[in-house]
Amino acid sequence: MIDMKIGRYHLTSDKYEIRVGKMTLDDHGQPVTTYDKNSSVTRFVEVPLAHCKNVEDALRWLRGYLLRTGSERITTVDQLRRESQRIDQQFDAYIKERVPGGQ
């Protein structure tokens, strides 16, 4: 089961799919949560963005989403390549920080 946070994005899974959601953040940049008394579960407050068949597709979808919605206006293929590489480096750095042994 996947329960991974990358910045304000949250990837979760069940046996059928990977879901990508965008978490709501408070004034301090921390994810907002809600508590369900009936199930005794605390959940992030988030907006669903995508349903993907595997992790690779979810990360590919998230990269495309970040490119489409980013603040930088991309007008050339070279800019697109640089921005895509920057996002990939962020993903790699995020994963290396959290994987035992830094692999």
Side-chain angles (χ1 to χ4, degrees), residues 55-88:
V55 176
E56 293 82 9
D57 286 348
L59 291 174
R60 189 176 304 117
W61 184 91
L62 184 55
R63 180 190 314 111
Y65 178 79
L66 293 172
L67 286 169
R68 291 187 307 274
T69 61
S71 60
E72 183 177 334
R73 181 178 166 93
I74 298 173
T75 58
T76 67
V77 173
D78 192 46
Q79 284 177 310
L80 178 63
R81 180 187 52 78
R82 281 195 312 268
E83 188 64 15
S84 182
Q85 286 175 340
R86 185 187 68 74
I87 291 168
D88 285 343

Side-chain angles (χ1 to χ4, degrees), residues 5-19:
K5 293 170 238 14
I6 300 176
R8 71 180 308 160
Y9 301 94
H10 188 204
L11 281 67
T12 57
S13 71
D14 58 25
K15 65 181 183 178
Y16 301 108
E17 67 182 357
I18 306 290
R19 291 173 302 282

Side-chain angles (χ1 to χ4, degrees), residues 19-99:
R19 291 173 302 282
V20 181
K22 185 175 184 180
M23 296 182 290
T24 301
L25 303 179
D26 65 15
D27 294 337
H28 303 289
Q30 297 301 312
V32 175
T33 59
T34 185
Y35 180 74
D36 183 352
K37 291 179 185 178
N38 294 333
S39 63
S40 299
V41 174
T42 300
R43 292 186 174 91
F44 293 110
V45 175
E46 60 187 19
V47 176
L49 296 176
H51 298 269
C52 303
K53 62 182 176 181
N54 56 47
V55 176
E56 293 82 9
D57 286 348
L59 291 174
R60 189 176 304 117
W61 184 91
L62 184 55
R63 180 190 314 111
Y65 178 79
L66 293 172
L67 286 169
R68 291 187 307 274
T69 61
S71 60
E72 183 177 334
R73 181 178 166 93
I74 298 173
T75 58
T76 67
V77 173
D78 192 46
Q79 284 177 310
L80 178 63
R81 180 187 52 78
R82 281 195 312 268
E83 188 64 15
S84 182
Q85 286 175 340
R86 185 187 68 74
I87 291 168
D88 285 343
Q89 289 170 350
Q90 286 178 333
F91 287 176
D92 289 345
Y94 180 88
I95 291 167
K96 284 179 183 177
E97 288 174 3
R98 287 155 179 83
V99 172

